[in-house]
């Protein structure tokens, strides 16, 4: 019985072993299975991470998690920042961000409202820096002494236009400036000048918010006086230099100012010459007419009643015709020594000007100018 039982057991064992032998895995197969398993796990992890990144990016963008809220440090480049009258805090904040003064407009508004919930930012021009902390910007804007009114006075700008610019920049009524226009003694301007024309120096200005019309005009006059001093112009020559300088400013570009000043001096100093002492400046005539044009009629040129008509009246006009710049004043103070009596701008776009010693030569250049006008319709009217 034991032998018979043992034989049966051996058969069963043999069948079971045969069954396992059929599913045996080789070492190579086992290795490949592990590699596939790891790859699948790595893929799953990568997909999960990618999905997580997308979700975080979407939520972060929606809730502003990745926006830079503030800068640190003391700022970088100097910048002038203007606040217009009537601007809201939100509008100011957006302008600050667009100029890279603050990092985040909303954060700036938050900081401002925390500190000044019942206040507002005064209009004016402020000296700030790019990349400033929001708190520092709030402080700078709310320190009243740092604010100013900004005004830019262009070269050749007439007194009336200058008063308009000043009024718009400061909020002061234009009449406050106009009533001071003939009060020359108050500003140290000699009586020979008919008014303050020629003394309101062109350039950029930043006036204190509480500056009066008188203080503003005085600052502009003082700039002109400083330029006269820098060019060693004696007081008895102020009228000639500022008047000639104002004409020179209209007659060409800075490059030729000294040459034009020299030609004007030749005309004035030689009343018996071909030009008979007449300056013949279109710009002076149009000033007296209250017009702005480069086209004059023969009748307008013959009108002696116009005290600024340098075609009909010899010598200098009765006063400046605009605000001469530093370059124009320097040219009038030290004119170029030349033999010219005539000049004409033959191209109004480029400012190209041609000089001549005789009227015959000058006429050829005038024809060149007239041709340019006919080829460029509307630019000479």
């Amino acid at each position: 019985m034991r032998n018979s039982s043992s034989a049966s057991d051996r058969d069963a064992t043999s069948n079971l072993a045969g069954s396992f032998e059929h599913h045996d895995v080789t070492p190579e197969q086992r290795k490949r299975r592990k590699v596939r398993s790891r790859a699948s796990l790595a893929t799953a992890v990568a997909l999960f991470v990618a999905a997580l990144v997308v979700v975080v990016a979407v939520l972060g963008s929606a809730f502003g998690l990745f926006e830079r809220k503030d800068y640190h440090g003391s700022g970088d480049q100097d910048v002038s920042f203007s606040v217009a009258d009537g601007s809201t805090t939100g509008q100011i904040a957006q302008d600050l961000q667009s100029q890279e003064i603050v990092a985040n407009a909303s954060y700036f508004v938050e900081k401002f409202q925390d500190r000044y919930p019942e206040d507002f930012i005064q209009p004016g021009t402020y000296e700030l820096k790019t990349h400033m902390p929001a708190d520092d910007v709030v402080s700078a804007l709310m320190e009243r002494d740092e604010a100013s009114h900004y005004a830019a006075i262009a070269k050749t700008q007439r007194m009336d236009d200058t008063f308009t610019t000043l009024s718009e920049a400061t909020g002061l009524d234009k009449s406050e400036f106009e009533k001071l226009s003939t009060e020359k003694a108050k500003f140290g301007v000699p009586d020979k000048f008919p008014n303050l024309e020629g003394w309101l120096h062109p350039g950029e200005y930043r006036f204190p918010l509480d500056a009066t019309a008188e203080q503003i005009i005085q600052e502009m006059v003082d700039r002109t006086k400083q330029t006269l001093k820098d060019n060693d112009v004696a007081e008895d020559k102020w009228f000639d230099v500022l008047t000639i300088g104002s004409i020179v400013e209209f007659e060409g570009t800075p490059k030729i100012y000294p040459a034009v000043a020299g030609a004007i001096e030749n005309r004035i100093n030689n009343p018996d010459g071909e030009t008979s002492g007449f300056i013949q400046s279109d710009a002076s005539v149009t000033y007296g007419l209250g017009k702005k044009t480069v086209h004059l009629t023969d009748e307008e040129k013959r009108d002696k009643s116009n005290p600024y008509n340098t075609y009909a009246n010899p010598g200098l006009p009765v006063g400046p015709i605009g605000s001469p710049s530093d370059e124009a004043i320097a040219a009038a103070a030290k004119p170029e020594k030349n033999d010219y009596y005539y000049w004409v701008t033959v191209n109004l776009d480029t400012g190209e000007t041609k000089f001549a010693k005789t009227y015959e030569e000058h006429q050829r250049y005038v024809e060149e100018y007239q041709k340019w006008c006919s080829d460029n319709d509307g630019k000479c009217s």
Side-chain angles (χ1 to χ4, degrees):
M1 289 292 292
R2 284 197 300 268
N3 290 339
S4 174
S5 177
S6 295
S8 298
D9 290 342
R10 283 196 299 270
D11 288 343
T13 302
S14 175
N15 290 336
L16 185 60
S19 176
F20 279 114
E21 284 174 2
H22 182 72
H23 294 286
D24 273 349
V25 177
T26 65
E28 185 62 32
Q29 290 175 322
R30 190 177 296 110
K31 182 178 181 181
R32 284 199 297 268
R33 287 183 179 179
K34 287 183 179 180
V35 170
R36 283 198 300 269
S37 178
R38 290 171 182 167
S40 298
L41 179 60
T43 301
V45 171
L47 290 172
F48 174 77
V49 171
L52 183 62
V53 168
V54 171
V55 171
V56 172
V58 171
L59 293 177
S61 177
F63 292 99
L65 298 178
F66 302 124
E67 291 181 3
R68 181 166 190 170
K69 286 191 173 182
D70 208 1
Y71 293 121
H72 302 284
S74 58
D76 295 328
Q77 298 179 347
D78 293 333
V79 60
S80 293
F81 180 76
S82 296
V83 175
D85 191 21
S87 295
T88 65
T89 303
Q91 291 170 334
I92 295 169
Q94 290 296 333
D95 290 341
L96 287 167
Q97 181 177 327
S98 67
Q99 295 185 38
E100 297 186 6
I101 296 171
V102 301
N104 185 287
S106 298
Y107 187 70
F108 170 81
V109 171
E110 179 185 324
K111 286 290 183 181
F112 180 83
Q113 292 177 341
D114 283 345
R115 293 174 56 184
Y116 299 96
E118 303 297 330
D119 215 334
F120 63 93
I121 301 170
Q122 291 191 14
T125 302
Y126 299 80
E127 299 306 314
L128 304 174
K129 291 180 180 290
T130 57
H131 304 153
M132 290 180 66
D135 258 331
D136 290 353
V137 177
V138 171
S139 297
L141 294 177
M142 297 309 289
E143 290 174 4
R144 303 298 196 270
D145 293 340
E146 295 298 320
S148 63
H149 289 307
Y150 173 80
I153 309 302
K155 294 189 297 184
T156 74
Q157 190 160 303
R158 296 175 181 178
M159 181 174 64
D160 184 65
D161 294 330
T162 296
F163 288 159
T164 298
T165 300
L166 293 174
S167 176
E168 291 173 350
T170 63
L172 296 171
D173 195 274
K174 185 178 178 180
S175 62
E176 294 190 45
F177 297 99
E178 291 174 331
K179 68 184 180 183
L180 294 169
S181 64
T182 57
E183 297 187 31
K184 298 165 289 185
K186 182 174 290 187
F187 303 100
V189 173
D191 286 339
K192 190 172 184 179
F193 291 86
N195 48 45
L196 293 178
E197 187 71 271
W199 285 94
L200 306 177
H201 201 281
E204 293 184 295
Y205 292 87
R206 290 178 173 82
F207 302 112
L209 295 180
D210 59 353
T212 65
E214 183 175 338
Q215 290 170 332
I216 288 170
I217 288 177
Q218 188 65 66
E219 181 175 341
M220 301 177 80
V221 170
D222 288 346
R223 277 202 192 182
T224 298
K225 287 183 179 180
Q226 186 59 51
T227 302
L228 290 168
K229 180 180 179 181
D230 292 343
N231 286 278
D232 301 320
V233 181
E235 186 171 342
D236 62 348
K237 292 292 183 181
W238 284 0
F239 180 85
D240 291 4
V241 168
L242 290 183
T243 304
I244 293 175
S246 70
I247 295 173
V248 164
E249 195 85 77
F250 281 91
E251 295 292 337
T253 59
K255 184 178 179 180
I256 65 166
Y257 286 171
V260 174
I264 290 175
E265 187 177 67
N266 291 340
R267 285 171 171 253
I268 294 173
N269 293 339
N270 190 10
D272 297 326
E274 198 174 49
T275 57
S276 302
F278 293 93
I279 295 176
Q280 297 178 315
S281 166
D282 291 355
S284 66
V285 180
T286 57
Y287 179 87
L289 294 172
K291 297 167 59 175
K292 294 179 181 179
T293 179
V294 292
H295 256 343
L296 293 171
T297 66
D298 290 338
E299 182 181 359
E300 288 171 334
K301 290 182 179 180
R302 290 193 298 266
D303 181 14
K304 289 187 177 182
S305 67
N306 178 354
Y308 291 89
N309 188 345
T310 52
Y311 279 91
N313 303 302
L316 293 172
V318 296
I321 61 173
S323 297
S325 63
D326 289 341
E327 297 89 348
I329 291 174
K334 298 178 179 63
E336 175 185 291
K337 299 300 180 182
N338 57 48
D339 298 326
Y340 300 130
Y341 284 83
Y342 303 91
W343 67 93
V344 60
T345 301
V346 297
N347 186 318
L348 299 185
D349 283 343
T350 65
E352 180 185 3
T353 301
K354 293 191 175 181
F355 293 84
K357 298 177 182 179
T358 66
Y359 182 71
E360 182 181 0
E361 181 185 9
H362 175 63
Q363 279 302 103
R364 295 199 297 269
Y365 297 144
V366 170
E367 290 174 3
E368 188 175 333
Y369 161 70
Q370 292 171 339
K371 182 179 185 305
W372 187 90
C373 288
S374 65
D375 292 341
N376 294 269
D377 188 38
K379 290 194 172 183
C380 298
S381 59

